[in-house]
C-alpha cells in the first residue's frame, strides 16, 4: 500500500514538475537520468583495462595485463576502478552533484559505479567513503562520497560504513597542487574513527574523482596499518590524459 501511494505521488509530481535531464535540462522520462544526447557523451571506462589501476587499453592484452605505469610504480593499495572519464561531458554533472546540491544524481552515479566496480564489491566486507573535514561538511551539508557509498551498499549488499574514517585536519584544496604537493598535503590528515576496527576486513574506499590518488592512498595507508586485509578504491570519475585513453 505504501509503495503504491509513493508511486502515485511521484507520478503526480512529474505532472506538475516534469523530470529534467541532469546534464542539459531537457525533459526526460524519469528524474535523476540523462537524455539520449547527454548519455552518449559520457565516456564510460570499460574493459579492456589494466588489471590493477583500471586504465583503459586500446585493445585486449589479457585478463591480468598491467599498464606500464603500474609495472613501474605499483599502487599502494589493491585495485582501482572508476566508472567514467572526468572530461567535458562528465565534469558539469559531477560538479553539480558535488557543489550544487544535485543529490538526485546519486542513484544514477552509484549504478554506474556498481557496474564498474562489481568485482571489487563482490569481495568486500565494508564500503566506506573518503571523509570530509567537519567544517567543510558543515559548509557543504553533505559528503558526496558518503552518499555514493551508502547507495553502493544498498545495491551490492555490502555493509556501508560512512563514518569509518575521520579527517583530522582541514587541508587546502588539491586542485592547484602537483602530485608531490598533493601527497604532502594529505599526509597524516586521516585516522580510523575511535572505537572502530577493520582488522581482517576487506574495504572498498569510495571517492568522487580520482586524480593522482594521493587522498585515497593516505586513507588506504591508515586502514592497512589498522589491520585491514585489503583496501581497494572505487571512484565515480577518473582524470586521465588524452594519451592514456
Amino acid at each position: 500500500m505504501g509503495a503504491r501511494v509513493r508511486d502515485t505521488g511521484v507520478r503526480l509530481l512529474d505532472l506538475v514538475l516534469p523530470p529534467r535531464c541532469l546534464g542539459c535540462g531537457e525533459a526526460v522520462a524519469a528524474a535523476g537520468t540523462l537524455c539520449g544526447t547527454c548519455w552518449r557523451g559520457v565516456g564510460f571506462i570499460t574493459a579492456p583495462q589494466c588489471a590493477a589501476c583500471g586504465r583503459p587499453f586500446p585493445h585486449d592484452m589479457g585478463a591480468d595485463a598491467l599498464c606500464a605505469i603500474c609495472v613501474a610504480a605499483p599502487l599502494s593499495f589493491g585495485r582501482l576502478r572508476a566508472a567514467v572519464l572526468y572530461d567535458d561531458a562528465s565534469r558539469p554533472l559531477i560538479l553539480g552533484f558535488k557543489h550544487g546540491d544535485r543529490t538526485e544524481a546519486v542513484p544514477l552515479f552509484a549504478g554506474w559505479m556498481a557496474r564498474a566496480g562489481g568485482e571489487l564489491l563482490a569481495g568486500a566486507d565494508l564500503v566506506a567513503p573518503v571523509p570530509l573535514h567537519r567544517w567543510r561538511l558543515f559548509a557543504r551539508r553533505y559528503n558526496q562520497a558518503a552518499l555514493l557509498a551508502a547507495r553502493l551498499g544498498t545495491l551490492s549488499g555490502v555493509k556501508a560504513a560512512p563514518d569509518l574514517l575521520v579527517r583530522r585536519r582541514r587541508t587546502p584544496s588539491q586542485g592547484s597542487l602537483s602530485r608531490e604537493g598533493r601527497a604532502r598535503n594529505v599526509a597524516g590528515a586521516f585516522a580510523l574513527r575511535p572505537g572502530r576496527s577493520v582488522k581482517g576486513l576487506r574495504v572498498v574506499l569510495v571517492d568522487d574523482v580520482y586524480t593522482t590518488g594521493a587522498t585515497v592512498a593516505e586513507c588506504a595507508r591508515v586502514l592497512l596499518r589498522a589491520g585491514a586485509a585489503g583496501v581497494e578504491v572505487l571512484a565515480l570519475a577518473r582524470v586521465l590524459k588524452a594519451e592514456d585513453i
Side-chain angles (χ1 to χ4, degrees), residues 134-214:
R134 61 183 180 275
W135 292 118
R136 188 163 293 168
L137 179 60
F138 177 79
R140 193 176 294 172
R141 302 184 303 283
Y142 59 90
N143 177 356
Q144 69 280 357
L147 297 183
L148 293 171
R151 185 70 177 187
L152 283 167
T154 299
L155 292 174
S156 66
V158 179
K159 182 179 179 181
D163 61 346
L164 184 65
L165 293 168
V166 293
R167 201 162 192 141
R168 297 192 295 190
R169 60 182 176 81
R170 187 172 184 177
T171 55
S173 172
Q174 300 270 73
S176 61
L177 300 178
S178 65
R179 179 181 294 271
E180 294 75 16
R182 287 170 181 253
R184 289 193 300 270
N185 190 40
V186 297
F190 302 97
L192 188 67
R193 184 172 293 277
R196 302 300 298 269
S197 173
V198 293
K199 189 173 183 179
L201 300 181
R202 296 159 299 175
V203 182
V204 170
L205 272 174
V206 173
D207 206 0
D208 53 355
V209 179
Y210 181 96
T211 306
T212 65

Side-chain angles (χ1 to χ4, degrees), residues 27-144:
V28 290
T33 58
L34 299 177
C35 68
T37 300
C38 289
W39 180 275
R40 288 189 292 272
V42 176
F44 292 98
I45 301 174
T46 58
Q49 56 192 165
C50 173
C53 78
R55 187 182 305 273
F57 287 145
H59 52 80
D60 192 354
M61 298 178 64
D64 299 321
L66 300 178
C67 67
I69 294 175
C70 285
V71 171
L75 295 171
S76 59
F77 45 85
R79 292 169 294 179
L80 161 68
R81 293 294 182 269
V84 302
L85 298 172
Y86 189 69
D87 56 15
D88 290 343
S90 67
R91 187 178 299 108
L93 298 174
I94 295 170
L95 292 179
F97 166 53
K98 188 171 181 176
H99 300 294
D101 294 335
R102 300 298 302 273
T103 56
E104 69 271 25
V106 169
L108 180 68
F109 291 165
W112 294 351
M113 295 171 72
R115 288 189 291 274
E119 290 185 0
L120 278 59
L121 294 166
D125 298 301
L126 292 176
V127 57
V130 171
L132 290 178
H133 187 270
R134 61 183 180 275
W135 292 118
R136 188 163 293 168
L137 179 60
F138 177 79
R140 193 176 294 172
R141 302 184 303 283
Y142 59 90
N143 177 356
Q144 69 280 357

